[in-house]
Every structure is written in C-alpha cells, then in structure tokens.
Amino acid sequence: MFKPELWQSHCEYRTIIKTFGRRLSRNNPVYGFDTYETESQKLLNLNLDPILDVISGYYSTTGRPALHQAQILRSLILFVLLFNRTKAKTSLTSWVRDVLPKSISLTVLIGCTSFDELPPLGSYYDFMNRFWLASRDIYSRNFLLPSGINRKKPEKILGPDGKLVEDDERSRSTNDIVSDIMDGRPASNNPEAALQKIFFLLAVLPSMNLGLIDTHNLTLSGDGTAVVSHSSPYGRHLVSCPSSCNYRSNCARHYSDPDAGWGWDSDIEDWYFGHTLYMLCCRNNTLKIELPIMMKFTGARRHDSKNFLFTIDDFGRHTYGLTPQNICLDSAHDNIPTYQLLERWDINALIDINSRSKSSDTTADDITFNKDGHPICRGGHEMCSWGNDPIKDAHKFRCPLKCGRIDSCSFAEECSPGNYGRTVYIKNHGDLRFLPRIPRDSEEYKKIYSERTACERINNRVLNDYCLQHLKIRGKDHFSFWTMLIGICIHLDARFKAASLYSA
C-alpha cells in the first residue's frame, strides 16, 4: 500500500541535509560528511517528487503502508555514485547491511535521520521488482525451462555488416516493424515502460529544463552494445532431482537469467552470453557532455536495425513530445524501412551506407557505394558525378576512366567497352537511402554525424565507469533497473559539471 503522505518530499530532504549535515560537518568532523560534498550536491539536484504520482499506481490500495520509498531510491542512486569507493564495492547486500548502518553521514545523505530508519534489504528488492510490467514467474527458483535452450551456440552466419544474422523464421522484418509503428501499434512488448518513464521524469526532463539538452535542434545517436550475463547457460537442476535420475540430462531446469541468450559481439569477434543494451544518446557540444535519452534491453541475437526501431518507438511513447531533428546511425541501420519511418516523422536521417550490402534495387550487383553515397565501380574507383537527368529524374554517374579521372582500369574492356563508358543512375526521389535530406558529402552532414561518437562514450560510462558489466545481477528486469539508475547518475554528473562551469 502506498500513502503519498508518507513520501519524503524534496523540501523535507533539503531541510535534513542542511540541518543534520551542517551539524555533522561543524561539530563532528570525524564523521566525514564533507567527504561526500560532491555526492551531496548531486542528490540535492535530484528532485524525486515528479514520480510520486507515477509510482503510486504500482502499489496496492490495501495492506501495510510502504515506508521510506524515496529514501530507498535515493540510497540506490548514492550507492551507484559511490561504486568501488566504499567497503561495499558493488554489493548491494554489503551496502545495506555493512556500510549504511556504520556511517551516519551516508545515512543522512539518503534522507534518514537515524540508523533505526534505514530500510531493510528486502525492501530494496521489493522496490526494484515493482516496476517490471511483465510476469515475474520466470525468475522464480521453482520455474523450470527445457534443458539445452541456451546450451548450443547458434550457427554463426554473419551478415555483410559483421553482425549475426537472425535465423528465426518467426522474427519480424524491419518492414513489418515499421508498418506496425506507422499504424500506431506498439512495435514490441515493453515491460520496462515504467522504468523509462521514471528515467525521463528524473533525468531527461530536468536536463532539458536546465538547457543541457537542445530541444529545438536535437541530434540523437543510436547504438547497441553487448552486456554479458553472470549466469550459466546450462541452468541447474532442482534439489528434488537426484543425480541418479535416468532422465537427468533432459530434465527441465532453473535458469538464473532466463532472458539471456547467445550473441555475437562484432567488436571483439567472439560469442557472449547475455543481452544487448540499445541506447539513444545526445551530445552538448558547448559543455562537452554526453547524455543517455532512452535505454532498452533486447535479445543478444537481435540485430541493431531492429533494436533501433523498438527503441525509437518507446522514445516516441515515453518522452512527452520530445522530437529529434537529426538521428545518426551506423551502417548496421542502413535499410529502406528505417529511412521511410524517419521521413514520415520529418527527421533527418544520417546513416552510413553499408558498402557490403546490396546497393539498390535498380543498381547492378557489382556496383557498391561508399559512406558518402557515391557509386563505386567494379574496379574499386569512385564514379564521376555527371549532373542530373531530368527525363529519368535521376542523378547520373559515369565511368571514371572514360571521364579521364584515372589512367587505367583492369576491367575497362569487360565493364564499359563503349566510348561513353558505364553509367549509373540514382533516382532523385525514389531512394531515400542514397539521397538523404542532408547530402553525405556536405560539411553539414560531417559536422552533425560527428556527434554519433556520443554513443561509444556513453557505452563506456555505463559498462565500465559505472560497472554495469561487473555487477552480479541476472535477468532483464534487474539489468533494466540498474541501467536506469546509472543513466540518472550520468545526468547528475552532467548537471554538477554544468553548475561548476557556470559558477567558475
């Protein structure tokens, strides 16, 4: 049961910090309250009141009242901010049982005025589990799944972009996903919708109000990263199943991370067992900071072209009208349905051409394209732009040898024996892929697309700086919750940096 009158308001929290914190700093320096001055300023900039109406809907209307919910959330955020800086390291159990009860300074920082008010460990897990909008039965220790569902790695079939090709016939194509989005249907089940909404209210919206996010000229970048699960793909038998059982090798078993699967990490070119984290990020060039805007966990084998569509659909549903002007993506997202969706939403698509994929429905298979969208002939030479053909409503490209741009070509006679040479036409309005709104060879395109590196830096902060890859957590529900906390901390870091720069 949730009672709003038991919620600790931000005003009450500020009063506690000013009164108790001042006493700890002035009269009891041994407590080291000033040691956490940076964390104190970050938490004072975190107003939890906007989510009061949101989270109340995830509690029952009867039963024992839930206590210290604001303090639990604030404690979790402080725990993430102090990863590896306390004796707890990255252990929540140690944080709750060993660190907080021995530090009055940390106790006050989370909003409690005495050790007696500290919430127990079970309340933390109860709080984390409330906002997952799917059945939690599969995480139960008594829930069994067939043996071998993750034991064998799938056949390694790599696409032209180096990503693992999905061989599941039931998997929807990008065209099917885009059709659902355009028709107003959800692209996927979204059990982390409540977490995305909380993240937007606590992190994204305040950063927008502070001017850290340019809402009028917003450029988003999207990318996925592999997240390894600290669980066995083999599962384990129940205690009730004796080792002498004749059917033990085929018995159903419990999996500590039933959402995890085998995926191919194209960066290190190796298999991993876990999930894919896909994020939409933006960069503030003035302050030189990167911020996550939307985060979503998907299957390890799902291609980034589909991950983007699922994530951008969630972005449209949970960001209260925030609209990007540009979206920067790598060549893994180079497909016609994505261009059509972004064109439908009046968003500039800045996507690298995948030169190893089929060039175009109207272009010969031996013609490829570079990242700027220029045709590359069979001999590996960039073809010459030769103006516009008004009759065909297309841009013309000619053989560079016949245009006098190169001296020789090993395919000269075989490719274009005529005096005019081989010609390729790219229709002006028939293919959004090769003729985007912002030309790929323009300075404007290069300047905007340079912001795509924000994704790599955010990935590094989430996985390494904030230790997501090293947390001993399992299940997409807990991965999603802890990633939301990390995203909030990254926004708090950015606000603290901005405040420091402005006050300097």
Side-chain angles (χ1 to χ4, degrees):
M1 181 180 181
F2 186 85
K3 287 188 174 182
E5 57 268 23
L6 298 179
W7 176 267
Q8 184 184 72
S9 68
H10 190 62
C11 182
E12 293 171 339
Y13 174 71
R14 292 181 68 89
T15 301
I16 290 175
I17 294 297
K18 289 182 179 179
T19 55
F20 286 84
R22 187 175 301 169
R23 294 176 191 171
L24 293 174
S25 299
R26 183 177 55 195
N27 300 327
N28 301 284
V30 70
Y31 294 131
F33 189 81
D34 292 339
T35 305
Y36 307 107
E37 177 64 23
T38 299
E39 288 71 31
S40 174
Q41 293 301 319
K42 292 177 181 179
L43 291 177
L44 286 173
N45 288 329
L46 177 66
N47 186 358
L48 301 180
D49 293 346
I51 67 169
L52 178 59
D53 294 334
V54 174
I55 69 173
S56 61
Y58 299 99
Y59 290 79
S60 66
T61 56
T62 59
R64 182 181 177 181
L67 302 176
H68 306 125
Q69 302 304 286
Q71 289 90 326
I72 290 175
L73 179 55
R74 199 177 291 113
S75 175
L76 287 167
I77 293 172
L78 179 60
F79 172 51
V80 174
L81 289 172
L82 294 174
F83 270 165
N84 291 323
R85 291 174 53 193
T86 66
K87 293 181 179 180
K89 301 296 183 181
T90 57
S91 170
L92 178 61
T93 300
S94 180
W95 169 260
V96 175
R97 293 180 176 175
D98 302 328
V99 175
L100 287 180
K102 296 179 182 179
S103 173
I104 187 61
S105 296
L106 295 177
T107 299
V108 170
L109 276 179
I110 71 172
C112 295
T113 56
S114 68
F115 293 136
D116 295 335
E117 295 181 8
L118 289 174
L121 181 62
S123 297
Y124 283 79
Y125 283 99
D126 176 77
F127 183 84
M128 287 190 288
N129 296 337
R130 282 190 179 273
F131 307 107
W132 187 250
L133 305 184
S135 173
R136 298 192 50 82
D137 293 340
I138 61 173
Y139 305 117
S140 169
R141 293 183 180 273
N142 296 323
F143 189 86
L144 302 179
L145 290 170
S147 64
I149 59 173
N150 289 319
R151 183 174 301 176
K152 294 182 179 180
K153 300 173 184 177
E155 184 178 355
K156 186 173 71 174
I157 304 176
L158 301 183
D161 53 2
K163 304 287 187 179
L164 195 67
V165 176
E166 298 179 62
D167 58 0
D168 189 353
E169 296 180 355
R170 297 170 298 176
S171 178
R172 291 184 296 165
S173 66
T174 54
N175 190 55
D176 295 333
I177 299 171
V178 168
S179 296
D180 286 343
I181 295 175
M182 288 185 175
D183 292 339
R185 296 188 295 269
S188 65
N189 295 328
N190 189 20
E192 62 260 66
L195 299 177
Q196 292 173 346
K197 187 176 295 185
I198 292 173
F199 174 69
F200 180 80
L201 292 175
L202 294 184
V204 180
L205 188 58
S207 295
M208 289 168 52
N209 294 334
L210 292 172
L212 303 184
I213 299 174
D214 187 357
T215 57
H216 300 291
N217 188 27
L218 177 62
T219 297
L220 290 182
S221 303
D223 196 15
T225 187
V227 178
V228 177
S229 175
H230 296 280
S231 64
S232 170
Y234 304 103
R236 65 171 179 80
H237 295 281
L238 294 182
V239 178
S240 58
C241 181
S243 58
S244 60
C245 176
N246 295 330
Y247 304 98
R248 186 175 177 84
S249 60
N250 296 320
C251 285
R253 57 197 67 187
H254 168 70
Y255 291 86
S256 58
D257 193 346
D259 305 308
W262 287 105
W264 177 261
D265 191 338
S266 57
D267 290 335
I268 61 175
E269 296 186 349
D270 197 6
W271 293 99
Y272 74 96
F273 184 72
H275 310 267
T276 295
L277 170 60
Y278 196 93
M279 291 188 287
L280 296 175
C281 310
C282 72
R283 174 175 171 80
N284 186 311
N285 290 313
T286 303
L287 299 175
K288 297 181 180 180
I289 56 176
E290 294 82 26
L291 296 171
I293 304 298
M294 177 63 62
M295 299 173 288
K296 186 177 182 68
F297 273 93
T298 65
R301 295 197 58 198
R302 186 171 288 160
H303 197 272
D304 274 354
S305 59
K306 298 180 181 179
N307 290 333
F308 166 73
L309 296 175
F310 293 135
T311 308
I312 197 66
D313 181 57
D314 293 348
F315 173 86
R317 296 176 184 276
H318 303 294
T319 53
Y320 301 92
L322 181 62
T323 303
Q325 183 173 350
N326 310 300
I327 286 185
C328 302
L329 306 169
D330 63 18
S331 59
H333 304 78
D334 183 25
N335 61 83
I336 298 301
T338 297
Y339 287 99
Q340 292 173 336
L341 177 65
L342 297 181
E343 181 70 18
R344 171 80 170 268
W345 287 348
D346 195 27
I347 299 174
N348 298 326
L350 292 87
I351 307 175
D352 261 351
I353 287 290
N354 190 344
S355 60
R356 292 172 292 182
S357 65
K358 188 177 184 300
S359 303
S360 174
D361 294 336
T362 59
T363 305
D365 291 337
D366 59 346
I367 298 294
T368 59
F369 289 77
N370 62 17
K371 292 185 176 182
D372 293 330
H374 286 287
I376 305 297
C377 71
R378 186 178 179 183
H381 306 291
E382 185 176 302
M383 301 187 73
C384 302
S385 176
W386 214 256
N388 190 64
D389 188 323
I391 298 177
K392 294 185 177 181
D393 190 24
H395 197 81
K396 179 167 44 174
F397 295 86
R398 285 186 58 198
C399 171
L401 178 64
K402 301 300 181 179
C403 294
R405 301 289 178 86
I406 58 175
D407 297 329
S408 63
C409 179
S410 56
F411 296 95
E413 296 299 326
E414 182 181 349
C415 181
S416 53
N419 293 330
Y420 194 77
R422 189 170 186 180
T423 305
V424 172
Y425 292 91
I426 304 297
K427 290 188 174 297
N428 291 330
H429 304 288
D431 200 340
L432 297 171
R433 180 187 179 201
F434 296 101
L435 291 168
R437 294 181 173 188
I438 304 176
R440 287 190 173 87
D441 56 355
S442 66
E443 289 299 323
E444 181 184 6
Y445 186 98
K446 295 176 182 178
K447 180 180 178 181
I448 297 175
Y449 193 78
S450 64
E451 297 187 20
R452 203 193 71 80
T453 56
C455 288
E456 280 75 12
R457 285 188 283 271
I458 290 295
N459 286 341
N460 181 62
R461 294 215 64 194
V462 171
L463 296 180
N464 300 316
D465 293 354
Y466 277 109
C467 309
L468 178 67
Q469 193 60 86
H470 306 289
L471 294 178
K472 298 300 187 288
I473 54 177
R474 302 170 182 85
K476 192 165 70 171
D477 57 339
H478 283 183
F479 271 110
S480 298
F481 186 89
W482 284 99
T483 304
M484 176 199 71
L485 295 178
I486 291 172
I488 293 173
C489 290
I490 293 175
H491 277 262
L492 292 178
D493 293 340
R495 293 180 213 167
F496 182 79
K497 178 181 179 180
S500 301
L501 292 175
Y502 290 142
S503 61

